[in-house]
Amino acid sequence: MALTLPPGLTPPEVAFLCEMELVTVIPRQRLEGLDLLGGPIPPLQPPYRAPLPLWLALLLKRQRRANILPPPWLSVPSLTQILSLEQESPVFSPPPPLPRNSTASPPFVPTATADASPEGLPYHWLELGEMLLDVAADDVPEGDNVRRLMRDLREVRMAKVREGVKVLEGGREVRINGVGGMEVAEGRAFIGGVVDGLRKIGASKELSRKEREAEERENGIGGADDDDEDDEMGM
């Protein structure tokens, strides 16, 4: 018997996709190149930087064979500025600008390398930041402050998601530009439940309206017949 899966990506699936993101590493020893499904990995030679998939960079970090350079947005100055924007505006902060002459869009652009933009949070900001702080905390300057800022950002942005649900109750649309992949996955069940509830309430109101109109129509027809009978008796 096949199990029914929930619609959309689950948080573990989003985290798995995040591991395909490219990050910048500095190898601590020479390593031969690899032929991966996502493309060949060139030989690594210290102290030259190299872009690697996040899953491979985390593996080498655990083996103490490479250090990971955090992206510019994963820093205290950038996160502080983004947090201020989130607190001052009712909408989500804009994502990083796209590179010029690029035909790709997030999450298919490199936003986690050392050359990424420090402005705005990329699509996989939450899960990528947590993975780096979990495995490579010593590579992130002021790691404790970065962790605190990320926690504050998450709380502020989730509060905006909850406010968006109130807007849905009023029948208006919600703009979710700039929302990350993990935020969508975590809020899907909650928002989906609210939308289903609103749909049921709307269907119930529509059914009640139709029943009320049918009852009024029947009463109106009966009242007209009574008037006709009274006129005949008067004659």
Side-chain angles (χ1 to χ4, degrees), residues 82-208:
I82 296 172
L83 179 60
S84 299
L85 292 176
E86 293 283 357
Q87 293 172 336
E88 296 172 358
S89 174
V91 299
F92 293 94
S93 60
L98 295 177
R100 294 183 178 181
N101 302 325
S102 175
T103 59
S105 61
F108 304 106
V109 292
T111 56
T113 60
D115 299 328
S117 172
E119 302 175 0
L121 298 175
Y123 185 73
H124 287 297
W125 73 275
L126 180 57
E127 54 272 33
L128 192 143
E130 290 181 347
M131 291 182 190
L132 291 181
L133 289 173
D134 182 41
V135 179
D138 57 329
D139 290 337
V140 180
E142 301 182 71
D144 292 339
N145 291 332
V146 169
R147 196 186 306 271
R148 176 183 55 81
L149 288 170
M150 287 191 60
R151 183 178 62 252
D152 294 343
L153 271 171
R154 185 176 187 179
E155 293 176 356
V156 171
R157 289 166 68 90
M158 286 306 297
K160 292 183 180 181
V161 172
R162 290 190 291 269
E163 288 294 326
V165 173
K166 296 180 181 179
V167 174
L168 285 176
E169 294 177 355
R172 293 178 294 171
E173 63 181 7
V174 180
R175 295 186 60 183
I176 57 173
N177 296 355
V179 179
M182 185 62 70
E183 293 170 309
V184 172
E186 292 178 344
R188 177 179 285 109
F190 171 68
I191 297 176
V194 173
V195 171
D196 290 341
L198 293 175
R199 187 180 297 112
K200 293 178 181 179
I201 293 174
S204 177
K205 290 182 178 180
E206 181 67 16
L207 180 61
S208 299

